[in-house]
Amino acid sequence: MTTGKHLAFYASFGTVLMLLAVTAPLALAFGFFSATGSRAQFAPLRWISQTYMALVRGIPDIAFFLFFVIALDQGIEWLRHQAKCPDWAEPIRQGNDFIVCAAAKMPLNNAPESVHQIYGFALAVLTFAIVFGAFAGNVLAGAMNTVPHGQIETAEAYGMSHRQAFWRIIVPQMWIYALPGLSNLWMVLIKATPLLFLLGVEDVVYWARELGGTKNIRFTEYPHGDWRMWYFLALLVFYLLFTKVSEIVLSRVTRKLSRGQATAGGEALRKAGAAT
Amino acid sequence: MKTLVLTAAACALMAGAASAETIRLGTEGAYPPYNYIDDNGQVAGFERMLGDELCKRAELECEWVTNDWDSIIPNLLSGNYDAIIAGMSITPERAEKVDFSVNYTPPSYSSYAAMSEDADLTGGIVAAQSSTIQSQYVVDTGATLLEFPSFEDSLAAMLSGEADAVFADKDTLVPVVEEDPTVMWAGEDIALSVGIGMAFRKSDPDLRAKFDAGIEAMKADGTLNAMIKEYLGEDSPGF
């Protein structure tokens, strides 16, 4: 239980939590920008936001994860190649091979393995954020439209500009409408973390498979049969606990945000408050 | 003075970094005794020893990278590592995409392992790892092929009764058959592999030449044979 491999397994839980901690705010930011973009007055911004949401939401996750990451990686290397090796004579595509000069490699070939892993992790975070940002954008755009129109009219009647009404009236109030959608996304994001494995990041699933696999006495000091079922069961419990905790937290947040809102939840809170 | 010392230190560091070229070796890490992950989470096995020795001889700095078997060739081509050393038999189909080094194991056998000696190998269900010479062969025998992404999965299918037998490189099955009393050989050994080699990008002949030279030298001085005997078993054919 304390071999180097097990330590790597425990550490991989940290990887997953870290991914969630970084990806969730990033995806929310992507979502917020595309949601505001999709209602912008400036048409090209609106088109970009809407295309982004429509495209990413329409492409199957797996295809996106397999294709986009390789494309992104090669794109970065291509750009670095153009910048760093302008007098490179050979073509970048040689048959099936993708060749850039050594200085353009990302990360450099002689970088320590940890740098390679961090780079892979960063690619994963970005990919997750782009995918979930599109969904979050759709949820937020819907939430912005749900804020009662009368409130915006009132704000404008008080002399607030378009921008002021947006920041002071819509943004603070939209969260309660966005929350059901966002909490759904959060749950889906938690469950999507095993996709890390597809991106070559050694996550909990990778190590559970590796540790649980049949261990022959020739190759290990701790031989055992096929224990993958037990390791996966442990993962199941981990994910269930994690989503359960999330649910509790999210229901508290909902309660908090409902205060004073013209929603059924807000009304229930007001009545409960009046009764005491 | 301080800057001078720092500059000197930086120069020394850079000189150290530049003196050895770093090569990334891609392997599967799930095919004992060729390559597997040891208790410390490091790549180990026959190919780890061989690769490290070859790198030492070629004066290269080598990093080990693990990658799924199914995507091991595409990731080589897109430059995630520089060579594959993963128990990959040399085949004409693969040679269309990558260039192989000279073989570092002689032509070797593939075998069936099953729970009973008279398992139906031509009409029954046979498990094998996908995209291997073995899975190709099973299709040709007329048996129903069950493909799995790793050797471990194909073995598990046989142990759970989902498949009548598992078909893989003999060297890989030897430890299983010898250590597990319920598993035994079935049918004849079949000479499938023409030898295992390292795979390189077609655009990388210089690197391939370095490793070719190392393998030839190890064949000549007998170290390769000793390594095969030590890791792949006494009965595994040598050069």
Side-chain angles (χ1 to χ4, degrees):
Chain A
M1 287 286 137
T2 51
T3 59
K5 222 187 218 177
H6 274 95
L7 293 180
F9 177 51
Y10 306 141
S12 65
F13 282 93
T15 310
V16 169
L17 294 179
M18 173 109 116
L19 176 91
L20 287 169
V22 182
T23 306
L26 199 60
L28 203 57
F30 271 62
F32 190 78
F33 280 120
S34 54
T36 41
S38 70
R39 33 187 300 138
Q41 316 245 316
F42 183 52
L45 193 61
R46 208 162 59 228
W47 296 332
I48 292 173
S49 305
Q50 281 166 351
T51 318
Y52 160 64
M53 288 197 279
L55 258 186
V56 177
R57 278 167 18 109
I59 298 171
D61 281 2
I62 297 266
F64 198 82
F65 275 90
L66 289 180
F67 164 78
F68 178 76
V69 178
I70 293 178
L72 183 68
D73 182 39
Q74 295 196 348
I76 292 174
E77 290 193 343
W78 185 81
L79 283 177
R80 281 169 58 92
H81 180 81
Q82 300 297 333
K84 297 205 170 191
C85 313
D87 32 273
W88 176 270
E90 295 166 53
I92 292 181
R93 289 239 166 245
Q94 298 182 14
N96 285 317
D97 302 2
F98 177 82
I99 322 279
V100 293
C101 62
K105 280 265 183 202
M106 186 73 189
L108 293 173
N109 235 10
N110 55 11
E113 185 55 26
S114 59
V115 175
H116 282 270
Q117 282 178 359
I118 291 169
Y119 176 68
F121 182 77
L123 279 186
V125 165
L126 191 60
T127 314
F128 269 99
I130 288 176
V131 170
F132 283 87
F135 286 95
N138 197 265
V139 169
L140 288 176
M144 287 174 187
N145 288 333
T146 319
V147 173
H149 197 65
Q151 302 215 6
I152 301 162
E153 284 176 356
T154 314
E156 280 170 1
Y158 271 102
M160 285 191 202
S161 69
H162 212 77
R163 177 183 294 257
Q164 281 174 326
F166 175 75
W167 285 108
R168 296 188 191 172
I169 306 298
I170 296 185
V171 172
Q173 295 197 90
M174 70 177 183
W175 298 107
I176 183 62
Y177 303 106
L179 203 61
L182 289 182
S183 61
N184 248 343
L185 271 184
W186 169 251
M187 296 295 187
V188 177
L189 177 62
I190 294 176
K191 293 193 300 172
T193 48
L195 282 176
L196 275 177
F197 177 60
L198 277 184
L199 302 180
V201 176
E202 291 171 353
D203 73 331
V204 284
V205 180
Y206 172 87
W207 286 112
R209 262 169 58 132
E210 178 54 45
L211 282 164
T214 314
K215 291 286 169 285
N216 195 293
I217 193 157
R218 303 260 175 101
F219 311 117
T220 172
E221 289 176 36
Y222 314 99
H224 59 72
D226 191 347
W227 285 2
R228 280 178 297 181
M229 208 177 104
W230 307 113
Y231 277 93
F232 283 134
L233 204 63
L235 286 191
L236 182 88
V237 172
F238 166 71
Y239 277 107
L240 272 179
L241 278 179
F242 197 34
T243 44
K244 183 71 204 163
V245 170
S246 304
E247 260 178 43
I248 294 171
V249 172
L250 284 167
S251 72
R252 289 213 179 137
V253 175
T254 311
R255 215 180 127 83
K256 195 153 181 245
L257 288 177
S258 293
R259 198 155 290 157
Q261 288 289 341
T263 58
E267 184 63 13
L269 273 182
R270 192 185 63 79
K271 279 187 180 152
T276 50
Chain B
M1 185 64 208
K2 215 174 189 178
T3 11
L4 197 69
V5 172
L6 276 178
T7 325
C11 283
L13 269 176
M14 271 150 82
S19 68
E21 200 183 341
T22 306
I23 295 300
R24 288 163 61 79
L25 297 176
T27 191
E28 189 197 4
Y31 207 61
Y34 289 95
N35 56 75
Y36 60 96
I37 309 289
D38 69 8
D39 287 337
N40 284 320
Q42 302 294 320
V43 177
F46 169 63
E47 284 165 336
R48 171 77 203 238
M49 291 302 134
L50 175 67
D52 283 349
E53 177 66 24
L54 289 171
C55 288
K56 206 170 86 190
R57 289 180 184 225
E59 293 181 351
L60 297 167
E61 195 76 37
C62 287
E63 287 267 5
W64 288 86
V65 187
T66 51
N67 196 91
D68 253 9
W69 175 254
D70 274 333
S71 60
I72 206 162
I73 289 182
N75 273 317
L76 171 74
L77 299 183
S78 70
N80 287 2
Y81 33 80
D82 304 302
I84 299 173
I85 172 162
M88 187 178 274
S89 292
I90 299 168
T91 68
E93 294 84 26
R94 287 174 185 150
E96 284 174 16
K97 287 186 235 152
V98 295
D99 272 350
F100 281 102
S101 68
V102 292
N103 54 325
Y104 57 78
T105 67
S108 57
Y109 291 106
S110 296
S111 308
Y112 291 96
M115 307 293 266
S116 81
E117 275 169 2
D118 47 339
D120 186 358
L121 302 178
T122 49
I125 301 169
V126 176
Q129 186 173 5
S130 59
S131 328
T132 57
I133 48 172
Q134 286 85 13
S135 66
Q136 196 62 48
Y137 180 82
V138 170
V139 174
D140 297 340
T141 60
T144 306
L145 170 68
L146 265 189
E147 277 189 304
F148 294 92
S150 69
F151 166 69
E152 163 86 31
D153 289 345
S154 61
L155 178 65
M158 186 276 288
L159 292 172
S160 69
E162 203 183 326
D164 298 319
V166 55
F167 188 49
D169 278 315
K170 186 171 188 186
D171 292 331
T172 310
L173 284 168
V174 164
V176 178
V177 172
E178 288 182 359
E179 301 297 340
D180 188 338
T182 62
V183 178
M184 56 203 78
W185 299 113
E188 299 285 307
D189 290 347
I190 292 150
L192 265 193
S193 172
V194 298
I196 291 171
M198 293 174 70
F200 299 86
R201 283 184 290 272
K202 283 188 181 293
S203 54
D204 215 358
D206 297 346
L207 187 64
R208 183 163 59 89
K210 282 184 192 167
F211 280 93
D212 270 349
I215 295 169
E216 293 295 2
M218 286 182 71
K219 278 181 189 170
D221 65 17
T223 42
L224 186 55
N225 272 339
M227 223 175 243
I228 290 175
K229 288 262 178 294
E230 182 183 350
Y231 285 94
L232 304 184
E234 287 294 325
D235 301 331
S236 190
F239 286 101

